[in-house]
Short mmCIF file of all heavy atoms in Angstrom, two decimals:
data_model
loop_
_atom_site.label_atom_id
_atom_site.label_comp_id
_atom_site.label_asym_id
_atom_site.label_seq_id
_atom_site.Cartn_x
_atom_site.Cartn_y
_atom_site.Cartn_z
N THR A 2 0.68 2.08 -0.98
CA THR A 2 1.56 3.34 -1.09
C THR A 2 0.58 4.49 -1.20
O THR A 2 0.71 5.34 -2.07
CB THR A 2 2.47 3.25 -2.29
OG1 THR A 2 1.67 2.98 -3.50
CG2 THR A 2 3.48 2.19 -2.13
N GLU A 3 -0.50 4.57 -0.37
CA GLU A 3 -1.44 5.57 -0.50
C GLU A 3 -1.22 6.84 0.44
O GLU A 3 -1.10 6.69 1.67
CB GLU A 3 -2.82 5.02 -0.22
CG GLU A 3 -3.94 5.98 -0.58
CD GLU A 3 -5.34 5.41 -0.46
OE1 GLU A 3 -5.54 4.58 0.36
OE2 GLU A 3 -6.21 5.87 -1.20
N VAL A 4 -1.24 7.95 -0.21
CA VAL A 4 -1.25 9.24 0.49
C VAL A 4 -2.60 9.89 0.12
O VAL A 4 -2.96 10.03 -1.02
CB VAL A 4 -0.12 10.14 0.07
CG1 VAL A 4 -0.22 11.50 0.76
CG2 VAL A 4 1.23 9.44 0.39
N THR A 5 -3.38 10.26 1.13
CA THR A 5 -4.68 10.87 0.89
C THR A 5 -4.63 12.36 1.23
O THR A 5 -3.90 12.78 2.09
CB THR A 5 -5.75 10.20 1.71
OG1 THR A 5 -5.52 10.34 3.04
CG2 THR A 5 -5.90 8.74 1.38
N GLN A 6 -5.37 13.13 0.45
CA GLN A 6 -5.43 14.55 0.65
C GLN A 6 -6.86 15.04 0.59
O GLN A 6 -7.65 14.60 -0.21
CB GLN A 6 -4.65 15.37 -0.43
CG GLN A 6 -3.08 15.13 -0.30
CD GLN A 6 -2.38 15.96 -1.34
OE1 GLN A 6 -1.72 15.47 -2.23
NE2 GLN A 6 -2.45 17.36 -1.13
N THR A 7 -7.20 15.99 1.50
CA THR A 7 -8.49 16.62 1.51
C THR A 7 -8.36 18.13 1.74
O THR A 7 -7.44 18.50 2.46
CB THR A 7 -9.42 16.04 2.60
OG1 THR A 7 -8.68 16.13 3.89
CG2 THR A 7 -9.75 14.57 2.33
N PRO A 8 -9.21 18.84 1.16
CA PRO A 8 -10.29 18.51 0.16
C PRO A 8 -9.64 18.31 -1.23
O PRO A 8 -8.46 18.60 -1.42
CB PRO A 8 -11.21 19.72 0.18
CG PRO A 8 -10.26 20.86 0.41
CD PRO A 8 -9.18 20.35 1.36
N LYS A 9 -10.36 17.77 -2.14
CA LYS A 9 -9.86 17.65 -3.51
C LYS A 9 -9.82 19.00 -4.25
O LYS A 9 -8.91 19.26 -5.03
CB LYS A 9 -10.79 16.70 -4.33
CG LYS A 9 -10.68 15.27 -3.93
CD LYS A 9 -11.41 14.34 -4.91
CE LYS A 9 -10.67 14.31 -6.25
NZ LYS A 9 -11.21 13.21 -7.12
N HIS A 10 -10.80 19.80 -3.99
CA HIS A 10 -10.93 21.15 -4.61
C HIS A 10 -11.23 22.16 -3.46
O HIS A 10 -11.94 21.83 -2.50
CB HIS A 10 -12.01 21.25 -5.57
CG HIS A 10 -11.89 20.23 -6.72
ND1 HIS A 10 -11.14 20.46 -7.86
CD2 HIS A 10 -12.41 18.99 -6.91
CE1 HIS A 10 -11.18 19.45 -8.62
NE2 HIS A 10 -11.95 18.59 -8.09
N LEU A 11 -10.69 23.31 -3.57
CA LEU A 11 -10.90 24.43 -2.63
C LEU A 11 -10.89 25.71 -3.33
O LEU A 11 -9.96 26.05 -4.02
CB LEU A 11 -9.87 24.42 -1.54
CG LEU A 11 -9.98 25.41 -0.46
CD1 LEU A 11 -11.26 25.37 0.37
CD2 LEU A 11 -8.81 25.37 0.56
N VAL A 12 -11.99 26.50 -3.13
CA VAL A 12 -12.04 27.89 -3.61
C VAL A 12 -12.07 28.83 -2.39
O VAL A 12 -12.90 28.61 -1.48
CB VAL A 12 -13.26 28.13 -4.50
CG1 VAL A 12 -13.25 29.57 -4.97
CG2 VAL A 12 -13.24 27.15 -5.69
N MET A 13 -11.16 29.73 -2.30
CA MET A 13 -11.15 30.62 -1.17
C MET A 13 -10.86 32.13 -1.59
O MET A 13 -10.21 32.28 -2.62
CB MET A 13 -10.17 30.21 -0.12
CG MET A 13 -8.76 30.11 -0.61
SD MET A 13 -7.59 29.46 0.67
CE MET A 13 -7.61 30.73 1.93
N GLY A 14 -11.42 33.01 -0.84
CA GLY A 14 -11.20 34.44 -1.07
C GLY A 14 -9.87 34.83 -0.44
O GLY A 14 -9.34 34.07 0.42
N MET A 15 -9.38 35.95 -0.76
CA MET A 15 -8.12 36.41 -0.23
C MET A 15 -8.10 36.73 1.27
O MET A 15 -7.01 36.78 1.80
CB MET A 15 -7.69 37.63 -1.08
CG MET A 15 -7.26 37.35 -2.50
SD MET A 15 -6.47 38.67 -3.37
CE MET A 15 -7.87 39.69 -3.78
N THR A 16 -9.25 36.86 1.87
CA THR A 16 -9.25 37.12 3.26
C THR A 16 -9.61 35.89 4.13
O THR A 16 -9.57 35.96 5.31
CB THR A 16 -10.31 38.22 3.64
OG1 THR A 16 -11.60 37.77 3.12
CG2 THR A 16 -9.96 39.52 2.90
#
Side-chain angles (χ1 to χ4, degrees):
Chain A
T2 55
E3 189 177 29
V4 177
T5 60
Q6 289 187 245
T7 53
K9 290 191 70 173
H10 302 276
L11 179 63
V12 179
M13 61 185 290
M15 289 189 282
T16 58

